[in-house]
Amino acid sequence: MRKISIFGATGSIGQNTIDLIRRAPEAYDVVALTGGANIAQLAEDAIALRADVAVTAFADRLPDLRAALEGSGVEAAAGQAALVEAAGRPADWIMSAIVGAAGLAPGLEALKHGTTLALANKESLVCAGKLLLETAERHGARLLPVDSEHSAVFQGLAGEDMNAVERIVITASGGAFRDWPLEDLPKASLAQASSHPNWDMGQRITIDSASMFNKALEVIETREYFGVRPEQIEVLVHPESLVHALVGFNDGALMAHLGAADMRHAIGYALHWPARQALPVERLDLARIGQLNFRAPDPARYPALRQAYEVMERGGLMGAAFNAAKEQALDEFIAGRIRFTDMAAVTAAVLERIEAESDLIDAAMTLDNVTRVDHVARKQAAQAAEERIG
Ligand code: NAD
Ligand code: MG
């Protein structure tokens, strides 16, 4: 039996992971499941999967979790320190599917224990890629991509020589507003931004798909994970979301990865790697689909994309600043304080302000320094949002 834990178990990726585990319960010994405010879901899954421990990120929810788990034999824990403690419990494989920078500390802890980390939490790579990779290297741990594009690239690179790679192309659906007139974008509502044309995902990443902040993070994730130069990374709008990524080689070959828009493929690939196992995902009937479309992303529609390249150019801890500013801007949009198009204006303002703060941005990449940059960038983003409201 493989010992596994799922961080962010109550979310979209977490629930898809549980779906796969439930199909072969005899193969897995579940150590920890973690969640946030959805205590009922967390407790139900922890009991059904006979987890050792269930952890809610919110310390004040411990009594509720205890009550929900009463008599089940599943241990209850709460708070950030409990999350990190759970990440250090012996396991063979951990799914990192917390949303946002909050996933970084538990992910690092898992790697320090040599655990294989299936990484859906792209934000941790954006904030502290070098730190994660070096920690994995030092402790003989492995990082496996779960983002669909990065899983696709990873599969496209299997058995290949990185020196023969010319470029990596990741696709983007274009999100909810890909065909809207540009002048309507400032009026986009929260409900409209929260509905994705192809993928069923958590609300935050769905909105980030409409703005392409998600793709901006993924460009940086590509650089961190595969070690290519920024100019080797391209984004291609592909409305059908069936080609997830392409790898271009020095002989002109372009290897594409196709599959249904179902995260259980990338999750299952990381779960069974290096083997392939049958997965309950739709098989594509290309004759029925008939055609696939591609176009270049419009920079005016997706200003976040260019910001990703600016972040990579500046280097240092700019990734952590960018991600934190983006998270704050998203909070402000979800709360109805700023407009959809204000989000990219807020992150642009933060990048401009923070880039000169060398004591912050050029500090060593440690968890403490990343956290420090994160706090400052969130504060600056809140201020920039305030200025746009005022
Ligand atoms: P989600 O919002 O559905 O779930 C997030 C999970 O994190 C929940 O379990 C929630 O309780 C937990 N959480 C929220 N705030 C937390 C905090 N402060 N501390 C600890 N736990 C917290 O999100 P999701 O769509 O499942 O995405 C999870 C991660 O996977 C994100 O990094 C996202 O970018 C990435 N991802 C998601 C998809 C997808 O299809 N949903 C695809 C690719 C990558
Ligand atoms: Mg993705």
Side-chain angles (χ1 to χ4, degrees):
M1 287 228 279
R2 288 173 76 200
K3 280 180 171 296
I4 67 158
S5 294
I6 304 172
F7 281 67
T10 56
S12 165
I13 292 287
Q15 291 291 302
N16 275 309
T17 308
I18 288 174
D19 175 81
L20 293 180
I21 301 301
R22 277 215 160 128
R23 290 163 193 263
E26 68 291 346
Y28 304 103
D29 174 8
V30 178
V31 180
L33 293 187
T34 87
N38 191 347
I39 301 295
Q41 184 73 57
L42 177 60
E44 185 191 317
D45 289 331
I47 293 168
L49 293 171
R50 300 167 183 275
D52 296 342
V53 61
V55 190
T56 163
F58 305 120
D60 59 342
R61 300 303 303 276
L62 184 58
D64 300 334
L65 184 59
R66 278 215 177 105
L69 291 171
E70 191 167 354
S72 69
V74 180
E75 186 189 333
Q80 294 305 311
L83 279 177
V84 172
E85 189 275 335
R89 294 195 186 195
D92 300 306
W93 187 90
I94 290 185
M95 166 54 75
S96 164
I98 287 174
V99 63
L104 176 58
L108 270 176
E109 184 69 14
L111 293 175
K112 281 184 193 157
H113 287 79
T115 308
T116 296
L117 193 67
L119 195 69
N121 178 249
K122 68 194 81 183
E123 297 90 340
S124 53
L125 261 187
V126 171
C127 293
K130 205 165 67 138
L131 178 60
L132 277 172
L133 294 172
E134 282 175 5
T135 305
E137 170 97 43
R138 192 165 337 116
H139 299 276
R142 193 166 257 290
L143 269 171
L144 294 170
V146 174
D147 220 344
S148 56
E149 299 77 3
H150 304 75
S151 174
V153 172
F154 185 63
Q155 294 177 51
L157 287 171
E160 301 286 356
D161 176 358
M162 273 314 286
N163 293 316
V165 173
E166 260 178 11
R167 58 184 178 141
I168 292 179
V169 184
I170 59 175
T171 63
S173 68
F177 309 133
R178 64 186 174 210
D179 299 318
W180 277 36
L182 272 187
E183 60 273 21
D184 288 350
L185 284 185
K187 289 180 272 175
S189 73
L190 177 60
Q192 287 165 328
S194 304
S195 112
H196 197 283
N198 305 335
W199 294 91
D200 179 15
M201 310 185 286
Q203 186 190 35
R204 298 182 74 87
I205 184 174
T206 301
I207 301 169
D208 283 350
S209 297
S211 61
M212 274 217 203
F213 270 113
N214 180 51
K215 212 50 55 180
L217 297 185
E218 290 183 359
V219 166
I220 301 174
E221 181 185 12
T222 301
R223 205 272 308 254
E224 296 299 331
Y225 196 93
F226 300 106
V228 289
R229 297 185 308 279
E231 63 272 21
Q232 290 178 288
I233 308 168
E234 296 169 24
V235 174
L236 186 63
V237 174
H238 167 46
E240 291 88 358
S241 296
L242 298 177
V243 176
H244 303 304
L246 307 98
V247 183
F249 294 93
N250 57 5
D251 59 356
L254 197 51
M255 302 288 285
H257 179 285
L258 284 79
D262 183 335
M263 285 308 295
R264 290 177 304 176
H265 174 74
I267 296 167
Y269 187 78
L271 181 61
H272 301 303
W273 182 89
R276 281 193 191 268
Q277 276 192 24
L279 292 171
V281 299
E282 186 195 331
R283 272 48 174 176
L284 295 185
D285 179 350
L286 290 176
R288 188 180 57 76
I289 293 162
Q291 62 174 24
L292 299 172
N293 292 279
F294 302 95
R295 56 186 192 235
D298 172 5
R301 187 177 298 274
Y302 305 115
L305 268 189
R306 193 175 40 95
Q307 294 176 11
Y309 290 87
E310 288 167 13
V311 166
M312 291 187 289
E313 195 175 312
R314 175 62 179 82
L317 301 184
M318 275 302 262
F322 181 51
N323 177 69
K326 191 281 294 178
E327 290 193 28
Q328 182 68 35
L330 182 56
D331 286 342
E332 306 272 354
F333 174 66
I334 291 174
R337 286 193 291 267
I338 60 173
R339 293 171 305 173
F340 180 77
T341 43
D342 287 333
M343 289 191 285
V346 165
T347 52
V350 173
L351 293 184
E352 201 181 307
R353 272 172 222 180
I354 210 163
E355 128 179 283
E357 297 191 39
S358 187
D359 56 319
L360 279 175
I361 299 302
D362 297 314
M365 191 178 279
T366 62
L367 184 55
D368 281 351
N369 288 339
V370 168
T371 307
R372 201 158 63 104
V373 169
D374 181 288
H375 287 327
V376 172
R378 275 176 212 262
K379 224 182 259 168
Q380 292 185 351
Q383 199 184 330
E386 200 60 50
E387 286 159 16
R388 296 200 73 80
I389 302 161

